[in-house]
């Protein structure tokens, strides 16, 4: 087993530059201990002797499978069902005012709690939700999207789901699956899951959305990157479309493309 060299300051700074260039994620200096531990584990996992060798491999191999593991290691999947309930109340009322097809993009879907909450909300608020109602759920973390696609959660994770929704939209596990629930096809089939990097050059420009959920994601980007992403959201929203942000995010001074409509909810400005 190779003996790992100490992770130096240069390695930390270099890894931060690489991560930022690839995924736009900014790692603060207060997370150096976590970064060093992650780099050590990834280096060891590849059988390399130094973090420098590991970072060399990434920079010299743009299509290496290790890129996926590297980015996944630094993504934070903090999410919950019906998180920030007022957003789903607004979405329900908004959906009732829009013509079909009605489409939502959840661009930081994590392990799926958010897109499934969107799906339940739309099933409850839209007449004939099986026709002309769709959700695109994406995330940069490939592992998180796989979990989201499976739609399996512990009862503890599903606790925020109202009991009547839990009965209507989830199957309870039995036997060795006791204590678990799985999203039923009635909401799973509404959602298209995929991996996507918000810094990618290839955006889903072939479709338009009525609403975009990008919550608690922009805080990991610097201001110029936030502005660039916001400007790219605008063309893929239908006129009057809504952008839902996280509770600690404020886009008011970053772009003229959106105007604040309510608490962390933005409306596409007229062009």
């Amino acid at each position: 087993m190779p003996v790992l060299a100490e992770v130096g300051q240069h390695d930390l700074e270099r890894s931060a530059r690489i991560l930022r260039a690839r995924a736009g994620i900014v790692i603060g200096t207060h997370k150096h201990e976590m970064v060093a531990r992650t780099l050590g584990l990834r280096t060891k996992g590849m059988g390399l002797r130094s973090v420098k060798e590991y970072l060399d491999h990434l920079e010299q191999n743009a299509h290496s499978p290790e890129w996926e593991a590297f980015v996944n290691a630094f993504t934070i999947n903090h999410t919950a069902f019906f998180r920030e309930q007022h957003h789903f109340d607004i979405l329900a009322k908004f959906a009732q005012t829009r013509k079909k097809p009605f489409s939502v993009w959840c661009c930081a879907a994590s392990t799926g709690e958010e897109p499934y909450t969107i799906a339940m909300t739309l099933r409850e608020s839209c007449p004939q939700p099986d026709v002309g109602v769709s959700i695109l759920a994406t995330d940069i973390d490939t592992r998180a999207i796989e979990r989201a696609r499976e739609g399996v959660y512990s009862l503890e994770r599903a606790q925020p789901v109202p009991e009547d929704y839990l009965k209507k939209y989830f199957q309870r596990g039995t036997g060795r699956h006791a204590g678990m629930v799985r999203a039923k096809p009635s909401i799973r089939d509404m959602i298209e899951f995929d991996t996507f990097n918000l810094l990618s050059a290839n955006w889903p420009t072939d479709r338009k959305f009525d609403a975009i959920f990008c919550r608690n994601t922009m805080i990991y980007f610097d201001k110029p990157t936030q502005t660039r992403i916001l400007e790219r959201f605008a063309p893929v929203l239908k006129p009057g479309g809504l952008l839902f942000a996280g509770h600690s995010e404020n886009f008011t001074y970053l772009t003229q493309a959106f105007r604040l409509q309510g608490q962390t909810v933005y409306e596409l400005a007229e062009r």
Side-chain angles (χ1 to χ4, degrees), residues 8 12 50 54 61-62 75 87 136-137 141 156 161 168 172 176-177 199 214 225 231 240 242 262 266 268:
L12 293 172
S50 71
Y54 176 72
N61 299 275
T75 53
H87 280 169
L136 173 64
D141 190 328
E156 183 180 4
V161 180
K168 189 186 296 187
R172 287 181 182 262
R176 64 189 182 92
H177 300 295
L199 297 191
C214 185
T225 303
E231 296 290 347
L242 297 183
Y266 296 81
L268 182 66

Side-chain angles (χ1 to χ4, degrees), residues 49-227:
R49 289 187 173 274
S50 71
V51 173
K52 179 183 181 302
E53 284 185 43
Y54 176 72
L55 297 177
D56 285 346
H57 170 81
L58 290 176
E59 291 197 310
Q60 294 166 13
N61 299 275
H63 301 291
S64 169
E66 181 58 25
W67 271 111
E68 182 177 303
F70 176 69
V71 173
N72 285 354
F74 292 102
T75 53
I76 300 171
N77 297 308
H78 180 64
T79 185
F81 287 102
F82 290 96
R83 187 182 185 189
E84 299 177 57
Q85 174 67 52
H86 69 283
H87 280 169
F88 302 103
D89 296 338
I90 292 170
L91 177 66
K93 293 177 182 176
F94 179 66
Q96 292 170 357
T97 69
R98 305 285 284 188
K99 295 180 180 179
K100 290 184 178 179
F102 185 86
S103 180
V104 180
W105 180 17
C106 176
C107 65
S110 187
T111 49
E113 288 88 338
E114 186 170 288
Y116 285 122
T117 302
I118 294 170
M120 286 184 278
T121 300
L122 295 180
R123 287 207 74 88
E124 292 293 317
S125 60
C126 292
Q128 296 182 308
D130 291 319
V131 181
V133 179
S134 63
I135 302 160
L136 173 64
T138 65
D139 199 279
I140 194 173
D141 190 328
T142 54
R143 296 169 306 181
I145 280 294
E146 280 305 310
R147 287 183 59 192
R149 190 177 283 116
E150 291 171 1
V152 177
Y153 304 94
S154 67
L155 279 171
E156 183 180 4
R157 289 294 298 169
Q159 189 174 10
V161 180
E163 185 61 31
D164 57 333
Y165 283 22
L166 200 61
K167 292 178 180 178
K168 189 186 296 187
Y169 297 118
F170 289 86
Q171 298 168 318
R172 287 181 182 262
T174 59
R176 64 189 182 92
H177 300 295
M180 306 296 289
V181 296
R182 188 184 188 198
K184 291 182 179 179
S186 60
I187 55 174
R188 280 212 323 274
D189 292 349
M190 296 173 67
I191 308 170
E192 174 190 349
F193 291 101
D194 203 358
T195 55
F196 184 71
N197 183 345
L198 287 171
L199 297 191
S200 170
N202 300 314
W203 271 50
T205 52
D206 60 331
R207 58 203 296 183
K208 296 273 189 176
F209 302 94
D210 293 89
I212 294 175
F213 277 69
C214 185
R215 307 194 305 172
N216 307 301
T217 300
M218 293 290 209
I219 54 175
Y220 300 109
F221 303 141
D222 58 23
K223 295 298 182 185
T225 303
Q226 291 179 11
T227 302

